[in-house]
Amino acid sequence: MTAIDLGLPELGGLAGVPTTDDPQKAKDYKSDQEVRWCPGCGDYVVLNAVQSFLPSLGLKRENIVFVSGIGCSSRFPYYMNTYGMHSIHGRAPAIATGLAVARPDLSVWVVTGDGDALSIGGNHLIHTLRRNVNLKILLFNNRIYGLTKGQYSPTSEAGKVTKSTPAGSLDHPFNPVSLALGAEASFVGRAIDSDRKGLTDVLRQAAEHRGSALVEIYQNCPIFNDGAFDVLKEADEAEKRIIPLVDGKPITFGASGEFAVVREGFGLRVAPTSEVSASDVVVHDASDEHLAFALSRLSTQDLSHTVTGVFRKASRPTYDDSARAQVEEAKAAKQADLASLLHGRDTWTVVG
Amino acid sequence: MSTDVGSGTEVRKLDRVVIRFAGDSGDGMQLTGDRFTSEAAAFGNDLATQPNFPAEIRAPQGTLPGVSSFQLHFADYDILTPGDRPDVLVAMNPAALKANIGDLPQGGILIVNTDEFSKRNLTKVGYAGNPLEDDSLAAFQVHRVAMATLTIGALEATGLGKKDAERAKNMFALGLLSWMYHRPVEGTERFLREKFARKPEIAEANVLAFRAGWNYGETTESFAVTYEVAPAKLAVGTYRQITGNTALAYGIVAAGQRSGLPVVLGTYPITPASDVLHELSKHKNFDVTTLQAEDEIAGIGAALGASYGGALGVTSTSGPGVALKSETIGLAVMTELPLVVIDVQRGGPSTGLPTKTEQADLLQAMFGRNGESPVPIVAPQSPSDCFAAALDAVRIALTYRTPVLLLSDGAIANGSEPWLIPDVEDLPDLSVTFATEPNATDGSGEFWPYLRDQETLARPWAVPGTPGLQHRIGGLEKAEDTGNISYDPVNHDRMVRLRQAKVEGVEVPDVEVDDPSGRARVLVVGWGSSYGPIGAAARRVRKDGLQVAHVHLRHLNPFPRNLGDVLSRYERVIVPEMNLGQLALLLRARYLVDAISHTKVQGLPFKAEELQNVLTDVVKGLPA
């Protein structure tokens, strides 16, 4: 039985995490460690956005934990003045799952990259999303392996020429949002590193969501894949390509809303707003899983369109809440009598 | 020498008996053996059991690969092993006969279910003729019993279909054996009624079949002799029967209670360790959470994450799983967090022999990680000893903030024996202290996560949620004390040595030498599940008037402090192992002792008889 079954008010993502009334500033979240990313790395922007955003949650800093895997982005926890673990390649979701199950009073964040989350750690990612563990997963997607110095990643475009693929890569890339939705994720969002406002908005919604939240963040690697997302950063181009989602609002975009998203067959397409009737413009509904998937397919590898914002936000029981509930039910039903457990039902006594 | 006719029933007293039930995987031999074991336990015998079953859940019916058996040794004194060879073999079909008859000594009792000996079934396992009809079994006391026919007959009135009725024939066999050995029957009847509580007609059929077997023995006169094995004179106290995997699970539950920590088991199903998960999943009321992860790596990851959060993190697996978990064990070594890794060893390499036993993961436990990555290793010596070994592994993990490898194996995991149930108050206090205050020694008021306890070299356990102690840990090398990332060469050298010193400094009790006469010149050293056969072999050698000393190692890393001294006191050191000499290699390297390795890797425990011969040869080979 869950709050959802009972129609009770739903818990937020941060329910159970102690709060403080002491004012917090971004600098409270900066650790004393020197940040060692390359100059111009998109990770700086994301780090700053997270450090600026966290004070608004009003949580006790000691109840926030960042867990990461391996890769450039996975250095993130060292720079946060919270608890943190820089773990091993691909395994952060597994470690964070154990932590979240054991500690309902923590706000647990996973920081990962496209190689860490989608290649070596693909299995943990999909199963964590499926279970709906109350974790916030920030997937820094720069479409390249940076820390190992420039091999193609599971989100690199087919044919990509890198150090390990001089004749071009043969792999077809993942669409991380489609993957997460296919893995039954209850919350999926996307943001672009340079869009501080959009990123912060998605982070806030993710934090407030109870369950697994996957946030894909397009992030530039200035050394090995520079300019991968430049078309989304030049004002003229960005307006034609970025489709921002607002729950409950018709999906239109462009400098003056001149483009709209409409249905076509089982999917969606972009049309000039002037050529479609207002009633044909799709209204975003983050609780509609079919719409979420169709929107994920509108985002193409070549970035001709990129949907940003929250694709899906759905309520269902979280793994960690349910696991704790089973333990609490068992405790309430049966006293923890160790001697009785050890004796079991059939004993015999040897007397002297 | 078959005894098909008899007049009256003679009662013969025995000090020990070994019975092996063998049949098809679907015949319920494990259940039959288990019930006979409970009867023996209830009667007060000492006992030891050894199940042996195929990896396939249902291999093709009636074939040799499908044979499943359960061996039980019960006695009126304290025994150490499930027995080398059966005195009584119950064969439910031709495959079971063929697979097991080689182990039955001359004059042994053979009870055969004749109904399965059709031409087709005989051909299936390569019998040219029917061994029940030629003289190939002349060396044994053969009892030919049409068990299926008799069972169906006994259940006629129940209205149960023929097929369902026939399935109760294992209870017929159990009834017959219970009669032969004067076993109490109330427990089995109660058990059957409880097990099939939701299907009362099946419960009744099984009880009827059980009674029919008993009555068959009583009335047919084909059994001239019945046997009595008196209760054993064991140490005073309350006992129960327990398997190794159950004892391991109880040890973990008890450790959670004695440490005051919630237990989080992160794991993935694998033979022969899955029963640890099954058992622990039943005890959530003891604040035990079991998490069946997507793979072995996620299992240990979740356990480590829980430990980081201040719970007792445990993972359970077998050798192939340890291989997958290696990197996370290394992370636990580096982050210096408590973690218990249970490895119920099985035959390897690779998938190997999933349902058979082996002790070949010792070097994997010791060295199977990148870099200098020391972990303490604890090994239980018998099914019931798994309980104490689990508590000891947790003690080390919590005291020293380290992953600990707990090496059980298939033989003790599924084997069972009586267990003298300890008083809960006598269990060790495992309570821990979390860090709550900044600890920097430079007056900065900072928290240094790698500032060590001078005695144990353990670092503080500062769990998230503790104000003012925010810190970052991870797999990168740490600066001593502060725990910040450090690539400094001298620091790395020092940290590698500190981690090693911490594990070498783990407090473990000295070994006790079993040398009743004090005059032995030969020492046999074992570890893990070979305790029973080595101990039994040593007793036999001594019975023959020769002297041998026995040391059994619970702690493989670090070794007990007195081990070097003990080894140096003997002219010969012999090390029997179910691998190709892994402990012998460690002993030779560590103590420069010329240890003689005796090895066997057949997926089965040593027999006391073979070790008796090996030890006798060594003792007799000593210079005068």
Side-chain angles (χ1 to χ4, degrees):
Chain A
M1 195 70 66
T2 69
I4 295 160
D5 300 329
L6 293 169
L8 297 174
E10 285 168 31
L11 292 177
L14 300 168
V17 184
T19 55
T20 173
D21 292 332
D22 296 343
Q24 293 181 350
K25 293 204 174 88
K27 78 168 173 36
D28 297 331
Y29 282 90
K30 293 187 202 304
S31 77
D32 59 354
Q33 299 295 296
E34 180 194 358
V35 184
R36 294 189 195 168
W37 286 313
C38 307
C41 178
D43 291 354
Y44 283 99
V45 190
V46 184
L47 178 65
N48 286 332
V50 171
Q51 286 169 337
S52 303
F53 148 75
L54 282 176
S56 69
L57 297 179
L59 301 176
K60 288 193 169 170
R61 212 155 32 93
E62 62 268 23
N63 288 79
I64 300 174
V65 185
F66 280 83
V67 182
S68 65
I70 292 293
C72 293
S73 59
S74 287
R75 297 297 177 96
F76 199 95
Y78 289 116
Y79 309 135
M80 297 295 300
N81 192 2
T82 61
Y83 282 87
M85 189 196 290
H86 176 215
S87 75
I88 45 179
H89 209 7
R91 317 304 172 202
I95 290 166
T97 293
L99 182 62
V101 166
R103 296 289 302 274
D105 59 329
L106 301 178
S107 170
V108 184
W109 297 71
V110 169
V111 177
T112 182
D114 40 319
D116 193 56
L118 302 174
S119 205
I120 194 167
N123 201 33
H124 307 309
L125 181 75
I126 58 176
H127 289 280
T128 299
L129 296 176
R130 165 177 76 83
R131 289 193 188 101
N132 202 29
V133 186
N134 193 22
L135 303 173
K136 315 304 151 201
I137 303 172
L138 309 183
L139 195 170
F140 291 35
N141 181 6
N142 57 13
R143 298 183 167 182
I144 199 76
Y145 281 76
L147 198 62
T148 50
K149 302 191 177 179
Q151 300 82 10
Y152 75 101
S153 89
T155 54
S156 299
E157 60 277 16
K160 188 165 190 72
V161 174
T162 71
K163 234 178 241 167
S164 62
T165 50
S169 102
L170 305 174
D171 290 26
H172 184 80
F174 270 137
N175 175 329
V177 172
S178 295
L179 180 79
L181 290 166
E184 306 286 345
S186 62
F187 182 105
V188 185
R190 179 189 283 137
I192 300 168
D193 58 1
S194 54
D195 174 16
R196 176 78 161 260
K197 187 172 167 295
L199 174 59
T200 303
D201 184 51
V202 175
L203 289 177
R204 177 171 294 107
Q205 293 193 57
E208 287 164 1
H209 175 71
R210 192 151 195 95
S212 295
L214 180 104
V215 180
E216 182 191 17
I217 303 168
Y218 283 169
Q219 170 252 323
N220 188 47
C221 171
I223 309 298
F224 297 108
N225 203 20
D226 195 22
F229 303 104
D230 274 3
V231 288
L232 303 179
K233 298 177 182 178
E234 296 155 12
D236 291 354
E237 288 297 324
E239 282 168 2
K240 287 186 283 184
R241 294 167 186 262
I242 296 178
I243 308 175
L245 299 175
V246 181
D247 201 17
K249 297 277 191 280
I251 307 173
T252 58
F253 63 103
S256 50
E258 64 267 37
F259 301 110
V261 172
V262 297
R263 292 175 203 279
E264 182 180 68
F266 289 108
L268 302 171
R269 74 179 163 92
V270 171
T273 310
S274 58
E275 292 175 15
V276 296
S277 77
S279 62
D280 287 342
V281 176
V282 172
V283 175
H284 185 43
D285 175 0
S287 68
D288 181 337
E289 60 182 315
H290 306 287
L291 176 60
F293 193 78
L295 284 167
S296 79
R297 305 313 289 173
L298 262 188
S299 310
T300 48
Q301 181 76 18
D302 65 6
L303 308 176
S304 53
H305 288 114
T306 288
V307 180
T308 62
V310 176
F311 290 71
R312 175 159 173 76
K313 187 162 59 174
S315 286
R316 65 180 165 91
T318 72
Y319 181 89
D320 44 322
D321 286 336
S322 306
R324 286 186 294 265
Q326 281 193 345
V327 168
E328 291 311 316
E329 279 165 28
K331 281 184 186 169
K334 197 173 172 191
Q335 204 193 338
D337 179 348
L338 186 57
S340 149
L341 172 73
L342 301 187
H343 280 71
R345 273 194 283 184
D346 289 320
T347 60
W348 69 97
T349 302
V350 174
V351 287
Chain B
M1 221 177 91
S2 63
T3 52
D4 279 339
V5 235
S7 55
T9 309
E10 175 199 341
V11 180
R12 214 173 277 169
K13 291 194 188 311
L14 300 173
D15 61 348
R16 53 179 282 262
V17 174
V18 179
I19 298 176
R20 186 184 294 175
F21 296 93
D24 199 63
S25 301
D27 282 345
M29 290 298 97
Q30 302 303 321
L31 176 68
T32 309
D34 212 47
R35 282 320 307 165
F36 199 96
T37 305
S38 293
E39 292 176 2
F43 189 68
N45 296 127
D46 195 15
L47 59 92
T49 70
Q50 187 62 59
N52 191 0
F53 45 86
E56 293 75 18
I57 302 302
R58 291 277 188 279
Q61 212 180 357
T63 61
L64 289 170
V67 174
S68 165
S69 70
F70 187 102
Q71 183 161 307
L72 159 71
H73 186 184
F74 60 105
D76 68 1
Y77 63 96
D78 66 314
I79 50 169
L80 297 172
T81 78
D84 289 358
R85 294 163 176 282
D87 303 305
V88 184
L89 173 63
V90 179
M92 301 299 283
N93 68 4
L97 177 67
K98 186 156 196 184
N100 291 284
I101 192 68
D103 291 338
L104 191 67
Q106 279 207 355
I109 298 171
L110 174 64
I111 300 171
V112 188
N113 171 26
T114 55
D115 286 325
E116 286 293 317
F117 281 67
S118 64
K119 182 133 201 324
R120 187 160 162 270
N121 286 351
L122 289 163
T123 314
K124 210 183 267 183
V125 296
Y127 274 124
N130 188 343
L132 301 181
E133 287 163 8
D134 58 29
D135 60 357
S136 61
L137 300 174
F140 312 109
Q141 306 176 48
V142 184
H143 297 281
R144 298 171 176 83
V145 186
M147 293 187 204
T149 308
L150 288 163
T151 303
I152 293 166
L155 302 188
E156 216 164 10
T158 64
L160 215 60
K162 226 173 161 184
K163 208 164 172 192
D164 281 337
E166 193 256 346
R167 287 179 60 185
K169 65 179 183 293
N170 60 330
M171 287 301 114
F172 182 95
L174 180 63
L176 175 57
L177 269 289
S178 301
W179 170 80
M180 268 181 83
Y181 289 93
H182 297 253
R183 301 285 101 184
V185 298
E186 301 76 20
T188 292
E189 297 197 356
R190 192 177 62 231
F191 168 85
L192 289 169
R193 294 213 163 91
E194 278 173 19
K195 180 176 168 70
F196 298 108
R198 286 189 197 157
K199 296 177 185 168
E201 70 284 1
I202 301 288
E204 216 39 51
N206 276 284
V207 169
L208 279 175
F210 178 65
R211 288 183 183 165
W214 176 285
N215 293 337
Y216 178 81
E218 180 100 340
T219 55
T220 59
E221 298 192 347
S222 43
F223 294 86
V225 190
T226 63
Y227 304 89
E228 277 184 359
V229 179
K233 290 165 205 65
L234 301 176
V236 170
T238 301
Y239 287 79
R240 64 171 285 170
Q241 180 203 343
I242 199 158
T243 67
N245 275 346
T246 306
L248 267 184
Y250 284 3
I252 295 299
V253 170
Q257 296 290 297
R258 299 298 291 177
S259 63
L261 301 177
V263 174
V264 176
L265 175 80
T267 189
Y268 188 75
I270 185 170
T271 303
S274 303
D275 281 343
V276 177
L277 162 62
H278 302 159
E279 188 61 41
L280 280 171
S281 68
K282 292 185 221 163
H283 305 301
K284 294 185 169 59
N285 56 318
F286 289 93
D287 213 351
V288 173
T289 302
T290 54
L291 198 161
Q292 181 183 317
E294 59 271 23
D295 59 28
E296 296 279 359
I297 300 172
I300 188 173
L304 184 63
S307 279
Y308 175 56
L312 172 56
V314 181
T315 190
S316 53
T317 188
S318 186
V322 175
L324 287 163
K325 294 178 196 295
S326 299
E327 192 186 12
T328 310
I329 298 173
L331 179 64
V333 168
M334 199 64 154
T335 52
E336 303 194 37
L337 287 167
L339 180 69
V340 174
V341 180
I342 297 169
D343 175 4
V344 184
Q345 300 167 93
R346 65 191 216 186
S350 187
T351 311
L353 304 172
T355 58
K356 312 295 177 191
T357 193
E358 208 160 275
Q359 296 181 294
D361 294 351
L362 176 57
L363 295 182
Q364 182 187 24
M366 190 76 190
F367 300 120
R369 291 163 297 283
N370 61 306
E372 296 289 352
S373 182
V375 297
I377 303 171
V378 176
Q381 64 184 26
S382 72
S384 67
D385 186 47
C386 287
F387 180 79
L391 280 163
D392 202 28
V394 172
R395 167 190 69 90
I396 295 171
L398 293 177
T399 307
Y400 298 90
R401 323 271 200 250
T402 177
V404 175
L405 260 291
L406 181 53
L407 291 185
S408 177
D409 69 41
I412 49 185
N414 295 312
S416 67
E417 63 179 1
W419 176 39
L420 177 58
I421 305 164
D423 273 338
V424 169
E425 295 72 38
D426 295 341
L427 298 177
D429 175 8
L430 299 174
S431 54
V432 297
T433 310
F434 294 125
T436 53
E437 300 290 333
N439 60 355
T441 55
D442 66 352
S444 62
E446 292 176 355
F447 175 64
W448 287 354
Y450 278 75
L451 185 69
R452 291 171 195 281
D453 179 282
Q454 287 307 300
E455 199 177 313
T456 59
L457 295 181
R459 75 176 192 89
W461 193 4
V463 302
T466 314
L469 305 192
Q470 289 93 320
H471 64 281
R472 277 64 56 189
I473 57 174
L476 285 170
E477 184 60 282
K478 304 286 172 292
E480 191 181 357
D481 299 341
T482 67
N484 290 327
I485 299 175
S486 170
Y487 302 114
D488 177 64
V490 176
N491 175 75
H492 176 58
D493 186 281
R494 178 152 175 82
M495 290 297 276
V496 166
R497 292 174 199 281
L498 275 168
R499 287 187 288 265
Q500 183 70 28
K502 180 175 83 168
V503 171
E504 284 176 4
V506 167
E507 203 180 302
V508 302
D510 280 352
V511 284
E512 286 174 22
V513 184
D514 174 34
D515 181 6
S517 71
R519 290 183 285 112
R521 297 159 66 195
V522 171
L523 174 69
V524 54
V525 182
W527 69 280
S529 72
S530 57
Y531 172 75
I534 293 176
R539 283 183 185 178
R540 291 179 184 203
V541 170
R542 291 170 197 148
K543 237 182 193 166
D544 291 344
L546 304 174
Q547 306 307 325
V548 64
H550 177 197
V551 155
H552 215 76
L553 295 174
R554 143 84 45 97
H555 297 99
L556 285 309
N557 195 34
F559 284 131
R561 306 280 183 280
N562 67 335
L563 183 59
D565 276 351
V566 169
L567 292 172
S568 67
R569 276 191 249 139
Y570 293 87
E571 289 171 50
R572 295 278 188 281
V573 174
I574 175 153
V575 186
E577 290 179 87
M578 294 188 287
N579 58 46
L580 296 186
Q582 301 193 4
L583 174 62
L585 182 79
L586 295 177
L587 294 177
R588 294 177 78 101
R590 175 69 192 271
Y591 300 107
L592 292 174
V593 58
D594 190 13
I596 307 163
S597 204
H598 175 74
T599 62
K600 190 174 88 166
V601 278
Q602 296 184 356
L604 295 168
F606 285 115
K607 290 181 162 49
E609 185 186 354
E610 70 175 292
L611 291 182
Q612 175 191 3
N613 294 337
V614 170
L615 297 183
T616 302
D617 286 350
V618 176
V619 174
K620 287 190 170 165
L622 286 172

